[in-house]
Structure formats: C-alpha cells, structure tokens
Amino acid sequence: MLTRLIAKLFVAALFGLVMSGSVFAHAGEHHSQNCFVDVGDTRLRLSGYQFQPGLENEHFCRVFPELGQIIIAVEPLEEGLENRQIALELLELSSWTDWLSNAEKAFAVIKQQPAKQFGAGLVSIQQTIGQRGVYALRVIMQDDAGHLRHQYFVFLVGVPVTKILAVLAGFLLLGLGFAWSRKIAAKGERAA
C-alpha cells in the first residue's frame, strides 16, 4: 500500500510539470500554505480549507491530509478585477496512463462552479471528497481582451503527509538502531 502511495505521489509531481502553463506554489505570507497561480497575465491566490476536527484553522495548498469536505478559495492579488468573470472546475484523476499523451484528458470534471464576477474579491468551490487521490482545480478567467484563459492546479486529497513522514522516520530510526547494534556486536566478537 505504501508503495502505491509513493508511486501516486511521484506521478502527481510529474502532473505538476506536465500541465500546460506555469503554476507557482510556495509558502505565502507568514509561512501559510497559500498557493499562487497565473491565469494569463493575472496572478491569483488559492487557499484550501478542511473542517475536520483539528484542521479548522489550517490552510492547505498541494496536499489535503484528510478525506471529507474541502473548500478552495481563489482571490485576485491586484485591484480592478471586480468585473472579471471567473469559473472554477474541480477535477479528479480518471486515467493514470492518459497523462503521457494528453494530461488534460486524464482528469474528469466532478464539480463545476458557474462563471461569476469576482465582485468582493473571492470565489470558492467546495466538495466532499470520499476517495484518496489526485485532483485538480481548473481556473477559467476572462482576460482584459475578453478571451478565456485557463490554468490547472494539481493537488492531493487524503494523504496524511505528516503521518507518513513520522512512520518513515520511525523506520529509519529502527534501521539505524539495528545497524548500530550489529556494529557493536561485531566489535564485541572481534574483541573476544
């Protein structure tokens, strides 16, 4: 099971490289997990939320650790975009093999948020996710010339990264302890 999970994480990382356009994700202000995506010439901030116990005040970006309800909010980083139309689509990876030929065909739409104006500056989409996997958010936005531009943002749901890292660290410590004890036993045999 762990091998499958590692393989999925690797493929998800490759998806991030293969998807069209440039996607930038990094720690935001105060090391929060806000992500940024460029749609045409406009930079947007994406913030993810989960409301399961213990996660109420956390922000997520590329990895949502639990299954259940997720909310992704999108907001512009510049003024004057209140009348700009934006639509959001939530997609689920449906084919692990299609990403080699056409990454866009690898995903199936599971929820569409109709186009609306930014207005107050925040547009969001929410969905209850019941299956671990690779998902994507497609952001479709009108540019200054009235053309529709889109960008994909790939993320994982149901991957408890901190728990996985803790287990891997435990295995590493056990391995080091085993190797150290064998080394001490070998020294004791040589001394005898």
Side-chain angles (χ1 to χ4, degrees):
M1 182 171 159
L2 183 59
T3 305
R4 259 179 80 186
L5 181 61
I6 291 171
K8 286 183 178 181
L9 289 171
F10 177 72
V11 171
L14 288 176
F15 270 117
L17 296 174
V18 171
M19 297 304 274
S20 63
S22 60
V23 176
F24 303 96
H26 54 81
E29 302 157 4
H30 310 294
H31 302 287
S32 68
Q33 290 200 24
N34 290 321
C35 290
F36 303 94
V37 62
D38 292 324
V39 183
D41 294 335
T42 305
R43 179 163 261 205
L44 305 172
R45 180 189 338 244
L46 281 75
S47 301
Y49 305 93
Q50 287 193 302
F51 295 102
Q52 287 76 1
L55 301 176
E56 300 89 353
N57 296 321
E58 298 286 329
H59 295 260
F60 301 98
C61 180
R62 290 282 185 191
V63 180
F64 289 79
E66 300 291 336
L67 296 175
Q69 183 183 28
I70 66 165
I71 297 175
I72 301 176
V74 178
E75 62 183 317
L77 293 175
E78 58 189 78
E79 302 273 330
L81 299 176
E82 297 81 20
N83 295 325
R84 186 81 59 98
Q85 293 286 319
I86 183 167
L88 303 176
E89 293 179 345
L90 194 58
L91 306 112
E92 179 178 21
L93 180 65
S94 59
S95 173
W96 284 95
T97 56
D98 281 345
W99 72 275
L100 293 172
S101 60
N102 188 345
E104 290 183 31
K105 288 185 178 181
F107 287 89
V109 176
I110 58 174
K111 184 165 188 177
Q112 292 180 311
Q113 190 78 9
K116 60 182 176 179
Q117 293 179 337
F118 264 118
L122 186 70
V123 175
S124 66
I125 189 168
Q126 62 182 324
Q127 179 72 19
T128 300
I129 307 281
Q131 182 176 340
R132 285 178 175 78
V134 179
Y135 294 84
L137 177 71
R138 181 174 14 204
V139 181
I140 305 162
M141 195 170 79
Q142 182 183 48
D143 65 13
D144 290 333
H147 300 105
L148 292 179
R149 305 282 182 213
H150 70 274
Q151 185 59 272
Y152 291 84
F153 183 82
V154 179
F155 58 95
L156 301 170
V157 176
V159 181
V161 173
T162 53
K163 291 177 186 175
I164 292 170
L165 291 175
V167 168
L168 290 175
F171 282 130
L172 178 65
L173 288 175
L174 283 173
L176 290 174
F178 180 72
W180 184 68
S181 67
R182 287 191 54 140
K183 186 175 181 179
I184 288 177
K187 283 184 181 180
E189 288 176 7
R190 278 188 248 144

